[in-house]
Amino acid sequence: MMKRWGLASKYEHPGIYSISIGSQIVYIGKSTNMLRRLAQHWVGIKISKEHKYKVLAEAKKRRLVTTFDVMYYAKETSSSALEEELGRREGELIRAYEPPLNS
C-alpha cells in the first residue's frame, strides 16, 4: 500500500519508527527495513491478537487517526553496528516519549 502511495522510499531503510494515535506516540519500534515492518503491523492490526494491535484496531474502529512516522534513520551499515545503533537509539526514544504500548 505504501508503495502505491509513493511512500516506500521513506521507509525502505533501517531506522526507528513511531506509531501515533492522534498526536500521541503510542509505540516506538526499530527495524532494518521499516517498510516491511510497518506492513507487518498493518496485518497485526487486522488480526488483533496482541495487545498493541487490539488497541490500534480499536482506534481504527473509532476512526481515530493512526499514523506511522520515521523518527530516526540509521547511519551504520554493518549488521552488528547497525543492531547496536538501533537498539541504543530506540531505548533513548522510548525513555524520552514513554509510549504506552512499549511495555
Side-chain angles (χ1 to χ4, degrees):
M1 181 168 50
M2 291 184 148
K3 286 185 179 186
R4 283 185 276 157
W5 294 343
L7 298 172
S9 61
K10 178 179 178 179
Y11 295 100
E12 284 183 317
H13 305 281
I16 309 295
Y17 62 90
S18 65
I19 303 174
S20 298
I21 298 174
S23 61
Q24 181 185 6
I25 293 174
V26 295
Y27 184 79
I28 294 174
K30 67 178 185 282
S31 180
T32 55
N33 184 318
M34 291 183 285
L35 181 64
R36 181 175 43 240
R37 185 66 182 119
L38 294 180
Q40 291 170 340
H41 284 306
W42 278 114
V43 171
I45 291 169
K46 291 179 192 269
I47 296 171
S48 304
K49 289 191 178 181
E50 292 180 48
H51 173 69
K52 68 182 167 194
Y53 295 133
K54 289 179 182 178
V55 170
L56 294 169
E58 183 64 25
K60 184 178 178 185
K61 188 163 80 171
R62 293 179 183 212
R63 299 178 190 252
L64 299 173
V65 177
T66 302
T67 56
F68 295 86
D69 202 9
V70 175
M71 297 185 83
Y72 177 80
Y73 288 112
K75 295 172 182 41
E76 295 295 334
T77 55
S78 75
S79 286
S80 60
L82 178 63
E83 287 297 320
E84 192 277 325
E85 176 189 10
L86 290 177
R88 179 177 35 80
R89 189 69 178 129
E90 179 190 35
E92 291 169 0
L93 290 166
I94 289 171
R95 284 187 294 281
Y97 287 92
E98 299 180 345
L101 298 180
N102 286 93
S103 53

